[in-house]
Amino acid sequence: LRRGIRLDNLLSFFQRHCGELVFEDEERWLPICQPTKLARQCNTYNQANRREIADGKLWALGTNLYAVEKLLIRPQTASHRVSMSELWSGGKGNLI
């Protein structure tokens, strides 16, 4: 059994939690994702954990999928023990 998410859910999640979408041109739909909100969250995390990062106990976060998982996905899904797909679809998930 494999679960997936819809593109509109992913884009909405990005805009709500990670940053903004701008488009390269109006003739073609070429989104450019600017992770401004995620960058601020990474900076806050890195500053709060700078000692552990310096000691090698934690990794510094950058604007990538590791940060999205640690800062955004895990906190929303851990208490429910479900995937993001299941959380967004009321526990059923979008089967692919």
Side-chain angles (χ1 to χ4, degrees), residues 50-61:
R50 64 184 171 271
R51 184 158 295 169
E52 291 88 352
I53 292 169
D55 292 343
K57 295 176 183 172
L58 292 175
W59 292 97
L61 293 179

Side-chain angles (χ1 to χ4, degrees), residues 30-42:
L30 297 172
I32 299 171
C33 302
Q34 298 178 330
T36 52
K37 294 177 189 175
L38 182 59
R40 284 192 293 273
Q41 292 178 63
C42 288

Side-chain angles (χ1 to χ4, degrees), residues 1-91:
L1 186 65
R2 297 167 75 191
R3 295 196 178 0
I5 59 172
R6 295 171 33 139
L7 180 58
D8 61 333
N9 289 342
L10 181 60
L11 293 175
S12 177
F13 175 83
F14 183 88
Q15 289 179 302
R16 198 168 41 252
H17 298 287
C18 299
E20 46 186 332
L21 295 173
V22 295
F23 297 93
E24 191 172 292
D25 61 38
E26 293 184 25
E27 292 181 26
R28 298 188 314 189
W29 199 69
L30 297 172
I32 299 171
C33 302
Q34 298 178 330
T36 52
K37 294 177 189 175
L38 182 59
R40 284 192 293 273
Q41 292 178 63
C42 288
N43 186 49
T44 299
Y45 172 88
N46 292 338
Q47 288 297 315
N49 295 288
R50 64 184 171 271
R51 184 158 295 169
E52 291 88 352
I53 292 169
D55 292 343
K57 295 176 183 172
L58 292 175
W59 292 97
L61 293 179
T63 55
N64 56 38
L65 199 51
Y66 294 109
V68 171
E69 191 279 327
K70 183 171 187 72
L71 299 175
L72 303 171
I73 293 174
R74 193 181 308 168
Q76 292 184 43
T77 60
S79 64
H80 302 288
R81 298 186 53 82
V82 297
S83 70
M84 200 64 156
S85 174
E86 292 168 310
L87 186 66
W88 285 345
S89 65

